[in-house]
Amino acid sequence: MRDTLPNAVKSTQAGAYAALTLGKLYVLLPRTELRTIEATTDVMTASPPQGGVGWIEVNRDRLPVYCTGADLVPMSAIPVERRICVVLKSDIASFGMLCDEVVLATANIAMKDMPVAMRLPGTPIIGLAQYADTIACVCTAERLSEFLRKAPSTRLGGGRTLPASKDHV
């Protein structure tokens, strides 16, 4: 995995990014990596994947769905604020990510590589950006997918996964 921003991510063009809100955290992803936006109520929570909260069906594909806190540590329960399931795609996988809100960033955004002192092993964050009067984390769907699919004990922050509800959200 690369530790610097790929050229495709360095675009500062308005509308080139989707901003996902996870509590007080903004995560910026290239807009081209958004496959679709679904309601959290469409997530099937029976037998979730490891580290996930359920599954969503998109065009006959059954995709894993993940939910994290603002610290990007996976959660076992779906907070009421997570009303949206953003389906992301990368070269390696498609998956759902629950968020409070998703918007297209309408202003030009200046991306910065992650400072060397902040580059933690396994982190999906590849850069930082000024967004909505705060600092946002820059990720790619590929990095986020790799991060979320790892065993909970090896994730950044050491989060653990508890059994999820067997019912629909």
Side-chain angles (χ1 to χ4, degrees):
M1 283 191 295
R2 296 178 52 140
D3 287 331
T4 59
L5 292 169
N7 287 334
V9 177
K10 289 184 180 180
S11 169
T12 58
Q13 183 179 17
Y17 298 95
L20 280 58
T21 305
L22 305 170
K24 294 182 179 183
L25 175 70
Y26 290 103
V27 175
L28 297 175
L29 292 138
R31 179 182 176 193
T32 57
E33 295 182 344
L34 264 68
R35 183 170 169 187
T36 187
I37 299 171
E38 305 289 338
T40 298
T41 54
D42 293 336
V43 175
M44 297 168 283
T45 59
S47 302
Q50 181 177 353
V53 293
W55 303 91
I56 194 155
E57 192 168 314
V58 177
N59 298 331
R60 298 186 188 156
D61 291 333
R62 186 173 183 237
L63 306 173
V65 176
Y66 302 95
C67 182
T68 72
D71 55 4
L72 292 180
V73 172
M75 303 170 79
S76 60
I78 301 172
V80 82
E81 302 85 38
R82 299 294 193 276
R83 303 178 310 262
I84 299 168
C85 179
V86 177
V87 178
L88 302 169
K89 62 182 177 184
S90 73
D91 290 340
I92 60 170
S94 289
F95 63 97
M97 178 78 174
L98 300 184
C99 61
D100 305 351
E101 182 179 54
V102 60
V103 297
L104 294 182
T106 57
N108 291 341
I109 296 174
M111 303 288 171
K112 302 288 184 191
D113 283 333
M114 192 72 149
V116 174
M118 294 176 72
R119 293 182 189 165
L120 300 174
T123 183
I125 302 167
I126 58 172
L128 301 173
Q130 180 76 31
Y131 177 76
D133 297 326
T134 190
I135 300 295
C137 297
V138 180
C139 296
T140 63
E142 181 177 345
R143 293 280 296 243
L144 202 52
S145 173
E146 289 174 0
F147 176 75
L148 293 169
R149 287 184 294 121
K150 290 183 179 177
S153 61
T154 62
R155 287 197 176 116
L156 185 66
R160 63 182 198 147
T161 303
L162 302 174
S165 164
K166 301 293 182 209
D167 301 322
H168 236 49
V169 174

